[in-house]
């Protein structure tokens, strides 16, 4: 489904990604791990099309189509979803309006009829309960005054609403207490499907106790330095990043 | 930054939707202004003697006045003798009594503007006093209003039919010498709206006027007077669009509101005059004096405006809070793009005890435009326990526009309380990325973000106006992103 070949990307002239190679097939869950500053978030942002980053070389295809040629919104409509680590607030725009605009943009792209306010309300209420968010959230401004945990669940709710082909979850577990983590993990597991791939970016392995990945990749210094199965994550938990030759202190200091 | 700038540049390039000129023969004065012109104007309108004297007095006063230059705007010097001071749609008979008698060309103009008069009167229950060029041509819904005792007519009619009301209140809020543009308007005002709501009457419908400048080189000088007698309520809607043209046009209107004891006036405006093209060529000069006097105790005057048009806007809808416990409100959205300039805001003059006022101003600047909020909150010595709350937010789109805030506070009373909050923000790259990542077109994203920013003001608008205002912002920001 997603194929990344020798991807290099930089921001403000500074190279962050230094040759990423990754293949993700439909139905798979990949965990991208690594210390802070290793390029995990950059990879997510570049795939989603954040224009603050410049792709300097390499190629990325989604189901054979050149992703890098597509605008951000076109990638989204092709099924790329990014759950933001720090979702931004849009004051005065209700969550409901934002979500309906988004869902309808996708539907229009697929040649489907737009959902009216009543239909959408019903759907949104169902999905918000799935991630344990009070439907009253729908009426609040986008991310306005949301707690960290509420923002994450709100992001996940959007993934469930939009049913993407590739869901990229950027540190969706960070800042969550154990109950919230469970809710988020249940949500992600609900998202797992044969025709959908999930790429989870995480610093800690604890999320992986709840969401068992098919593959784990360790990203450091802008490259994937090790790939393996689920056991790699457990090994990382036990030994830290040090045994891979990564300076753990630097990573911890960055926390 | 790259994304937003590019998007915004595109966004701002949309064409003015209402840019067409209606071909109606106009009966127009030759350009120039002197006492003779004023006498002729008054005679054409069949005005009584007091009116022509009033105009002449204003004219003489105006001759001694200077054009104000303190606003944060720049425009070429206006030659007041190059302007024609009267223009009326040509008609063989008197004013038409029904829509059937109205020039079909004119009705089609309204259709193009999305103002189907006959539908509107049925569907929305809105009475429309339509001003086309300088003379009122269609008035609807007079009967139910008459039943309630509400007078809703053109100011020309009022001068003839209700001279005692006009004499008592015209110029009582905005006197001749108030300012240069108000002085000019007083001398040459063409037509406008008059409303009188009698004691204890709640006006049975929203009153509405649509304006449109048409004939070339014609200054339009609207004069509106609304009087709400004791315990009455009226909501008045004003909306305007103008056809596309190259020469700048002067628009110097005066609106006076008078609220007696326990009366309320709600005045809403959607202003969409031709703003000029993307190079700053053409567009309306909108120099307007709007003021309400809350003279009665417990009276209330509320201004809501959505300003998206005009090349230059100079406008400060204000409240004089004279009555005890009287309330003044100002809710404003001002959007500028391309080379538009707006210097707008309000004055809240607290004179009576326990008077209170609220100011919510939202300025949106895009392109190379300049958008200034200018506000005065003043407390007189008698304004014991008076208070004001001001919130003044600016939103910048792109990095070549300007937003300015000039708040003035003057207090001669120690018990007065003033709160002032101000913010400046940008449509951020992060917000745009979030929206686009969710599949939303950049253009739609900007429109959504801007509408969210304006929410506090839009909810003050009457329902059908709120929809129109939302659409207007969308259109104003259309074609920008790509």
């Amino acid at each position: 489904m997603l194929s990344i070949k020798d991807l290099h990307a930089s921001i403000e002239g500074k190279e962050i990604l230094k040759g990423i190679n990754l293949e993700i097939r439909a139905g798979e869950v990949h965990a991208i791990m690594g210390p802070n500053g290793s390029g995990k978030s950059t990879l997510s942002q570049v795939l989603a099309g954040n224009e603050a980053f410049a792709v300097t070389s390499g190629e990325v295809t989604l189901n054979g189509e050149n992703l890098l040629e597509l605008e951000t919104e076109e990638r989204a409509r092709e099924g790329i979803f990014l759950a933001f680590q720090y979702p931004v607030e849009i004051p005065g725009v209700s969550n409901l309006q934002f979500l309906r605009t988004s869902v309808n943009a996708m539907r229009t792209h697929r040649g489907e009829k737009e959902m009216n306010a009543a239909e959408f309300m019903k759907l949104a209420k169902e999905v918000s309960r799935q991630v344990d968010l009070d439907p009253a959230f729908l009426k609040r401004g986008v991310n306005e005054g949301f707690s960290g945990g509420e923002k994450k669940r709100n992001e996940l709710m959007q993934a469930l609403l939009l049913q993407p082909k590739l869901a990229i979850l950027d540190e969706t577990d960070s800042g969550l207490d154990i109950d919230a983590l469970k809710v988020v993990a249940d949500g992600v597991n609900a998202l797992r499907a044969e025709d959908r791939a999930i790429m989870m970016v995480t610093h800690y392995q604890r999320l992986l106790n709840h969401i068992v990945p098919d593959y784990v990749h360790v990203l450091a210094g802008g490259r994937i330095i090790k790939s393996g199965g689920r056991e790699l994550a457990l090994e990382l938990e036990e030994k830290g990043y040090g045994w891979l030759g990564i300076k753990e202190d630097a990573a911890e200091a960055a926390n | 930054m790259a994304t937003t700038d590019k998007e915004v540049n595109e966004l701002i390039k949309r064409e003015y939707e209402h840019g067409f000129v209606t071909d109606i023969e106009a009966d127009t004065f030759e350009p120039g202004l002197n006492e003779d012109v004023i006498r002729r104007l008054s005679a054409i309108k069949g005005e009584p003697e007091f009116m022509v004297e009033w105009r002449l007095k204003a004219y003489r006063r105006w001759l001694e006045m200077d054009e104000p230059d303190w606003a944060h705007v720049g425009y070429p010097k206006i030659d007041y003798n190059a302007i024609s001071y009267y223009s009326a749609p040509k008609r063989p008979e008197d004013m038409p009594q029904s829509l059937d008698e109205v020039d079909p060309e004119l009705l089609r103009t309204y259709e193009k503007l999305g103002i189907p008069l006959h539908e509107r009167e049925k569907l929305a229950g809105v009475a429309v006093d339509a001003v086309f060029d300088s003379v009122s041509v269609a008035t609807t819904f007079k009967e139910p209003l008459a039943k309630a005792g509400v007078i809703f007519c053109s100011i020309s009619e009022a001068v003839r039919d209700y001279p005692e009301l006009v004499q008592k209140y015209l110029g009582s809020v905005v006197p001749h010498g108030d300012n240069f543009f108000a002085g000019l308007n007083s001398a040459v005002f063409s037509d406008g709206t008059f409303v009188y709501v009698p004691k204890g009457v709640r006006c049975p419908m929203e009153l509405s006027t649509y304006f449109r400048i048409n004939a070339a080189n014609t200054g339009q000088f609207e004069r509106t007077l609304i009087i709400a007698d004791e315990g009455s309520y009226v909501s008045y809607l004003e909306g305007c669009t103008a056809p596309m043209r190259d020469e700048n046009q002067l628009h110097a209107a005066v609106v006076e509101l008078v609220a007696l004891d326990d009366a309320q006036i709600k005045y809403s405006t959607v202003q969409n005059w031709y703003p000029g093209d993307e190079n700053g060529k053409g567009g309306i000069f909108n120099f307007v004096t709007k003021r309400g006097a809350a003279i009665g105790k417990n009276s209330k005057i509320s201004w809501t405006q959505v300003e998206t048009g005009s090349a230059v806007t100079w406008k400060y809808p204000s409240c004089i809070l004279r009555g005890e416990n009287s309330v003044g409100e100002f809710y404003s959205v001002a959007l500028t793009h391309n080379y538009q300039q707006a210097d707008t805001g309000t004055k809240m003059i607290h004179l009576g005890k326990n008077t209170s006022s609220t100011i919510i101003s939202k300025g949106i600047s895009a392109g190379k435009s300049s958008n200034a909020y200018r506000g005065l909150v003043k407390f007189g010595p008698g304004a014991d326990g008076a208070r004001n709350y001001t919130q003044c937010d600016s939103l910048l789109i792109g990095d070549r526009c300007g937003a300015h805030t000039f708040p003035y506070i003057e207090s001669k009373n120690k018990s007065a309380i003033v709160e002032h909050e101000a913010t400046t923000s940008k449509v951020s790259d992060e917000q745009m990325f979030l929206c686009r990542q969710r599949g939303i077109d950049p253009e739609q994203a900007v429109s959504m973000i801007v509408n969210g920013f304006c929410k506090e003001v839009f909810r003050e608008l009457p329902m059908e106006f709120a929809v129109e205002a939302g659409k207007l912002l969308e259109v104003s920001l259309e074609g920008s992103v790509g």
Side-chain angles (χ1 to χ4, degrees), chain A residues 39-234:
Chain A
K40 302 190 300 286
S41 276
T42 299
L43 177 60
S44 313
Q45 300 273 322
V46 167
L47 291 177
N50 186 340
E51 291 168 16
F53 297 91
V55 172
T56 47
S57 67
E59 60 180 68
V60 181
T61 58
L62 180 73
N63 294 325
E65 201 181 345
N66 184 353
L67 197 66
L68 300 177
E69 271 182 1
L70 298 180
E71 296 285 349
T72 310
E73 61 275 14
E74 292 169 332
R75 297 183 196 193
R77 292 172 201 156
E78 290 301 326
I80 294 220
F81 177 90
L82 172 63
F84 287 84
Q85 186 178 2
Y86 304 111
V88 66
E89 295 183 5
I90 308 181
V93 177
S94 80
N95 223 8
L96 193 69
Q97 186 197 351
F98 174 73
L99 296 175
R100 186 156 79 95
T101 307
S102 168
V103 165
N104 281 336
M106 307 290 191
R107 291 179 71 92
T108 303
H109 176 70
R110 292 195 296 261
E112 294 166 13
K113 202 166 73 69
E114 293 197 351
M115 287 182 106
N116 66 35
E119 288 167 341
F120 184 75
M121 187 65 165
K122 194 165 166 271
L123 175 70
K125 275 185 174 170
E126 275 168 32
V127 178
S128 64
R129 285 196 196 96
Q130 213 178 330
V131 293
D132 202 24
L133 272 181
D134 187 328
F137 265 86
L138 296 168
K139 294 195 174 152
R140 302 216 342 225
V142 176
N143 294 314
E144 222 181 339
F146 288 22
S147 73
E150 286 162 352
K151 283 184 181 173
K152 303 285 172 152
R153 280 183 280 164
N154 193 38
E155 290 294 291
L156 194 60
M157 177 171 86
Q158 294 174 37
L160 290 163
L161 269 176
L162 296 173
Q163 298 283 313
K165 287 188 187 127
L166 172 68
I168 303 167
L169 310 175
D170 191 1
E171 307 257 4
T172 298
D173 55 329
S174 68
L176 296 181
D177 62 35
I178 194 71
D179 294 333
L181 187 72
K182 185 73 173 52
V183 172
V184 166
D186 288 347
V188 176
N189 284 324
L191 208 55
R192 289 180 93 142
E194 290 213 342
D195 57 352
R196 175 175 304 128
I198 297 174
M199 183 176 129
M200 282 190 303
V201 172
T202 181
H203 185 75
Y204 300 105
Q205 99 85 31
R206 61 174 191 164
L207 184 66
L208 308 182
N209 291 332
H210 302 279
I211 308 159
V212 180
D214 300 299
Y215 297 95
V216 175
H217 310 277
V218 179
L219 192 62
R223 289 186 190 90
I224 290 175
I225 58 163
K226 194 164 179 64
S227 296
R230 188 192 167 200
E231 65 290 347
L232 178 56
L234 295 170

Side-chain angles (χ1 to χ4, degrees), chain B residues 94-158:
Chain B
D94 286 23
M95 304 285 275
Q97 301 304 301
S98 78
L99 289 177
D100 303 341
E101 296 173 37
V102 172
D103 188 337
E105 177 76 9
L106 185 56
L107 291 178
R108 274 196 293 277
T109 300
Y110 288 123
E111 298 282 348
K112 278 192 227 169
L113 286 170
I115 313 159
L117 271 186
H118 44 286
E119 273 180 31
R120 194 166 270 266
E121 62 183 275
K122 278 184 200 140
L123 292 176
V126 172
V128 178
D129 180 307
V131 175
F132 184 82
D133 273 80
S134 311
V135 173
S136 304
V137 288
T139 305
T140 51
F141 266 77
K142 280 208 161 169
E143 222 175 293
L145 291 174
K147 233 181 223 173
V150 174
I151 302 168
F152 178 44
C153 61
S154 74
I155 194 109
S156 308
E157 283 177 78

Side-chain angles (χ1 to χ4, degrees), chain B residues 148-150 196-204 227-234 260-264:
Chain B
V150 174
Y196 172 77
V197 189
K199 276 184 195 175
V201 169
R202 189 178 172 88
C203 185
I227 303 148
D229 212 327
E230 291 171 20
S232 68
Y233 169 86
V234 63
L260 303 184
D261 287 358
D262 304 299
Q264 283 189 34

Side-chain angles (χ1 to χ4, degrees), chain A residues 45 48-51 71-73 76-77 80-82 84 88-93 97-98 101-102 105-106 155 158, chain B residues 2-4 6-7 428 430-442 444 448-453 455 482:
Chain A
Q45 300 273 322
N50 186 340
E51 291 168 16
E71 296 285 349
T72 310
E73 61 275 14
R77 292 172 201 156
I80 294 220
F81 177 90
L82 172 63
F84 287 84
V88 66
E89 295 183 5
I90 308 181
V93 177
Q97 186 197 351
F98 174 73
T101 307
S102 168
M106 307 290 191
E155 290 294 291
Q158 294 174 37
Chain B
T3 327
T4 308
K6 184 179 143 219
E7 286 161 2
S428 74
E430 289 75 19
Q431 289 171 330
M432 289 301 291
F433 182 51
L434 171 61
C435 293
R436 296 178 65 193
Q437 210 301 303
R438 297 300 185 256
I440 300 169
D441 270 326
Q444 207 179 355
M448 191 167 69
I449 293 166
V450 169
N451 271 288
F453 174 76
K455 199 177 183 181

Side-chain angles (χ1 to χ4, degrees), chain B residues 169-437:
Chain B
Y169 290 109
L170 192 71
S172 70
V173 187
V174 180
H176 285 149
D178 187 79
N179 70 71
F180 182 83
F181 299 117
L184 178 64
N185 175 287
S186 301
V188 301
F189 73 83
S190 37
D191 212 334
T193 304
F194 177 83
V195 179
Y196 172 77
V197 189
K199 276 184 195 175
V201 169
R202 189 178 172 88
C203 185
M205 64 190 67
E206 311 259 9
L207 302 179
S208 171
T209 294
Y210 278 87
F211 294 74
R212 192 167 160 84
I213 295 179
N214 199 270
N217 280 324
T218 304
Q220 181 140 349
F221 304 95
E222 299 287 340
R223 185 94 193 186
T224 295
L225 175 59
I226 299 177
I227 303 148
D229 212 327
E230 291 171 20
S232 68
Y233 169 86
V234 63
S235 169
Y236 185 83
L237 321 180
E238 166 200 57
C240 36
T241 56
M244 186 178 277
R245 59 181 63 257
D246 281 340
E247 321 91 278
N248 288 304
Q249 287 183 303
L250 176 64
H251 181 73
V254 172
V255 175
E256 294 177 282
L257 311 181
V258 181
L260 303 184
D261 287 358
D262 304 299
Q264 283 189 34
I265 302 176
K266 184 174 171 62
Y267 194 105
S268 312
T269 304
V270 170
Q271 187 270 115
N272 186 26
W273 298 110
Y274 179 50
D277 68 12
E278 59 181 61
N279 299 312
K281 193 172 179 223
I284 303 295
F285 293 173
N286 196 27
F287 302 146
V288 178
T289 306
K290 288 184 168 177
R291 194 175 303 152
I295 58 179
K297 61 178 181 1
N298 307 318
S299 57
K300 180 176 175 182
I301 287 179
S302 181
W303 298 101
T304 306
Q305 61 171 18
V306 176
E307 301 277 322
T308 61
S310 298
V312 183
T313 298
W314 181 97
K315 181 183 175 188
Y316 316 91
S318 302
C319 298
I320 298 169
L321 304 171
R322 193 178 292 280
E324 249 181 72
N325 302 319
S326 59
V327 176
E329 293 175 338
F330 175 73
Y331 299 98
S332 170
V333 166
L335 182 149
T336 54
H337 57 83
N338 294 331
Y339 287 87
Q340 275 180 286
Q341 306 173 69
D343 193 299
T344 185
T346 185
K347 289 188 274 189
M348 291 292 175
I349 314 294
H350 294 256
L351 300 175
K353 278 183 191 162
N354 298 319
T355 47
S356 69
S357 60
T358 303
I359 299 171
I360 309 279
S361 163
K362 304 278 182 176
I364 301 143
S365 333
K368 293 174 182 165
S369 68
S370 165
N371 201 327
Y373 166 81
R374 185 182 303 275
L376 169 66
V377 178
K378 189 170 178 174
F379 299 96
D384 294 336
R387 57 198 180 277
N388 163 266
Y389 172 74
T390 299
Q391 185 190 329
C392 205
D393 299 324
S394 304
L395 184 70
L396 302 173
I397 304 178
D399 54 10
R400 288 173 301 166
C401 51
H404 313 271
T405 304
F406 305 102
Y408 303 87
I409 298 168
E410 286 175 38
S411 183
K412 295 196 172 95
N413 188 306
K414 282 183 180 158
S415 68
I417 300 168
V418 197
E419 284 177 78
H420 184 100
E421 290 178 25
T423 65
T424 301
S425 54
K426 284 191 71 164
V427 173
S428 74
D429 292 351
E430 289 75 19
Q431 289 171 330
M432 289 301 291
F433 182 51
L434 171 61
C435 293
R436 296 178 65 193
Q437 210 301 303

